[in-house]
Amino acid sequence: FAYAAVLLFTQRRWSLGCILYSVGVSVKMNVLLFAPSLLYILLAALGTKGAMAQIALCAVVQVVIGFPFLTSHPVEYLSSSIEVGRVFMHKWSCNLRFLPEEVFVSRQLALGLLCGHLSFLALFYFRHLHPHLEWFLRFGGKAASPAFICRVLFVGNFVGIAFFRTLHYQFYTWYFHAIPFLLWSTQLNTGTKLGVYTLIEIAFTLTDPRGCNANPPGPQCGTPLEGGGMLLTFAHTLLLIMLLAAPRWEPRAQVGNGGGVKEE
């Protein structure tokens, strides 16, 4: 649903895109990582009133989907849907397994990752997005190319993933589709881009073989290795820095002298 919504946003089909986006959130809460970027795009393309209307539409979808549960067990439904304080098991973390468990589960680490997430969103905003805001408000959503819209959404999602405390194996499906696009949005040479992509792939496949030949398998069988977490953290950090350092993003759709829009 999330990627279908991204496709619709690139086609300026905002309402249908927001409906699918909200459905995606109801399926898996990680889709909320797109929310800051989507808010920017809606504000830039539709203005404050238009953006608020689309956010209201998303809220209506949530109410419709959750109506049977909101009317029968509202407290349980809401508390289970948003488990902000949930801590996943240390041994299944593909990214921060190399940290001591007491550090991994600490509140200080959670707050530090949250601050890092918000700080990098702010850095990307002021580096790549803020200079275009006035232009967007003048020409609306038609001024942005599909590539620019994808870049804003995919980078916002990736920043959230990079600062997640726990990435399990299945969490790779949250962003692996966008990794080539993100890598080719940097100025890394082709060999380094392919190397970073390979590191991320390897990091999610390094598992502990101990106990795997036993019947039943031992408790360590298939758990992520500390070295894989180090590789993944290094690759994520490098990609974040290179995306931030890339030349300022310019929408590829340009407004001509007559006010029309043309693609480069």
Side-chain angles (χ1 to χ4, degrees):
F1 290 105
Y3 283 91
V6 171
L7 175 62
L8 291 168
F9 293 142
T10 63
Q11 298 171 347
R12 287 77 170 176
R13 300 170 68 181
W14 308 112
S15 295
L16 185 55
C18 283
I19 289 173
L20 287 186
Y21 173 79
S22 189
V23 172
V25 171
S26 71
V27 174
K28 191 69 176 176
M29 292 291 287
N30 71 282
V31 179
L32 283 174
L33 294 177
F34 286 100
S37 297
L38 179 56
L39 177 61
Y40 169 84
I41 290 173
L42 292 176
L43 286 170
L46 304 175
T48 303
K49 290 184 178 179
M52 292 302 104
Q54 296 301 323
I55 293 172
L57 178 60
C58 291
V60 169
V61 172
Q62 290 299 308
V63 172
V64 170
I65 292 175
F67 185 77
F69 311 104
L70 290 170
T71 54
S72 57
H73 301 86
V75 176
E76 294 85 352
Y77 176 71
L78 293 174
S79 61
S80 298
S81 298
I82 309 175
E83 294 182 292
V84 178
R86 183 179 181 184
V87 179
F88 291 98
M89 294 179 65
H90 174 252
K91 76 172 186 176
W92 291 111
S93 174
C94 290
N95 55 332
L96 297 182
R97 177 69 189 277
F98 59 89
L99 293 177
E101 186 168 4
E102 60 271 18
V103 175
F104 177 82
V105 300
S106 68
R107 182 176 177 83
Q108 290 80 5
L109 178 64
L111 291 175
L113 292 172
L114 176 61
C115 290
H117 182 187
L118 297 178
S119 297
F120 263 83
L121 286 178
L123 287 172
F124 274 101
Y125 172 76
F126 286 108
R127 165 68 177 160
H128 292 294
L129 301 180
H130 181 69
H132 302 304
L133 188 56
E134 184 177 348
W135 184 58
F136 272 114
L137 293 177
R138 179 182 177 189
F139 295 108
K142 65 180 181 180
S145 71
F148 183 81
I149 292 173
C150 285
R151 186 170 292 114
V152 173
L153 291 169
F154 289 161
V155 168
N157 181 54
F158 177 67
V159 171
I161 288 169
F163 285 95
F164 241 67
R165 173 156 51 182
T166 300
L167 291 177
H168 292 172
Y169 296 122
Q170 67 270 28
F171 292 2
Y172 192 29
T173 61
W174 293 1
Y175 72 114
F176 83 92
H177 325 70
I179 291 175
F181 181 88
L182 293 174
L183 284 168
W184 263 259
S185 296
T186 71
Q187 290 190 304
L188 292 169
N189 61 57
T190 301
T192 306
K193 292 172 183 174
L194 294 175
V196 172
Y197 185 82
T198 302
L199 285 179
I200 295 174
E201 285 283 334
I202 291 174
F204 277 101
T205 57
L206 288 177
T207 60
D208 195 332
R210 290 178 296 173
C212 291
N213 293 325
N215 188 16
Q220 296 298 322
C221 176
T223 56
L225 293 176
E226 294 181 4
M230 293 178 183
L231 286 178
L232 188 59
T233 301
F234 170 76
H236 282 174
T237 302
L238 177 60
L239 182 51
L240 270 180
I241 293 173
M242 295 312 298
L243 284 167
L244 188 61
R248 183 167 291 164
W249 301 342
E250 293 290 343
R252 293 182 61 190
Q254 295 186 345
V255 179
N257 295 332
V261 174
K262 60 179 181 180
E263 294 287 339
E264 288 185 348

